[in-house]
Amino acid sequence: MGAFSIVTSVILLQAAPAPQPAAHVITLQQATKAAITNQPQLRQAQAQTAAAEARSDEARAPLLPQVTGSASYSRSTANPTPRAGAPILNSQRSPFDTFGFWNFGVGATQLIYDFGETPNRWRAAESSAQATQQLQRATELTSVLNVRTAFFMARAQKALIVVAKETL
């Protein structure tokens, strides 16, 4: 009779509902938003898209006018040494007196024609950036699909548990 009572108590323990902890239920929209916000692959895809767009801007730079400037300053004594572009000083000053010399320069260049190499490089970089944007979108859609699949699988499992309890 002892074995029968042990089996009976085990069956009763299994049939008795276990105390359920308070479950946190989230909606499909909350799950989707959390996936989009926290998905590492999506963050990586966003960073790759930003980098590709920056490379596209960088490839466009040679098509724009290039302006360069330079300035130099030198200080030297009043010894009569001729300098290019500087007037010859004929004064009776001490050779230990010093004077400052400034030189300024500005230059500008513009690419006119390079057989289409630079514009084609820019178009290729733009196409690459657009492709990277589409990969980012595909990653986002895949993440949303995975979350929705998991969400509905969990709902189906919950419904199966209810059916199993009703059958028992």
Side-chain angles (χ1 to χ4, degrees):
M1 184 93 170
F4 179 73
S5 63
I6 293 175
V7 172
T8 306
S9 60
V10 169
I11 291 174
L12 289 176
L13 285 175
Q14 288 179 350
Q20 299 272 337
H24 178 69
V25 178
I26 62 171
T27 64
L28 178 60
Q29 289 79 17
Q30 290 171 333
T32 304
K33 182 179 177 185
I36 289 174
T37 304
N38 300 320
Q39 182 59 258
Q41 287 88 3
L42 188 55
R43 287 183 182 176
Q44 180 182 7
Q46 290 167 346
Q48 288 174 344
T49 299
E53 289 171 352
R55 283 190 295 272
S56 174
D57 289 342
E58 183 181 8
R60 183 176 56 112
L63 295 171
L64 302 174
Q66 308 292 313
V67 178
T68 58
S70 65
S72 67
Y73 174 76
S74 64
R75 187 145 189 98
S76 61
T77 62
N79 293 334
T81 54
R83 292 185 175 269
I88 297 175
L89 301 173
N90 289 330
S91 67
Q92 299 302 327
R93 295 188 177 233
S94 167
F96 297 107
D97 288 344
T98 59
F99 296 95
F101 294 97
W102 289 92
N103 288 318
F104 296 99
V106 176
T109 59
Q110 173 65 52
L111 177 67
I112 296 174
Y113 189 72
D114 68 348
F115 300 99
E117 182 178 339
T118 303
N120 288 335
R121 191 177 300 132
W122 177 37
R123 283 188 207 98
E126 280 185 326
S127 297
S128 177
Q130 289 172 355
T132 307
Q133 285 174 343
Q134 294 304 317
L135 285 173
Q136 175 187 344
R137 180 72 178 138
T139 303
E140 181 179 340
L141 291 175
T142 302
S143 298
V144 169
L145 172 68
N146 290 338
V147 166
R148 288 182 178 182
T149 302
F151 183 85
F152 288 116
M153 288 296 289
R155 285 195 55 146
Q157 292 295 326
K158 186 177 179 182
L160 286 174
I161 290 171
V162 170
V163 169
K165 283 182 181 180
E166 289 175 358
T167 302
L168 185 65

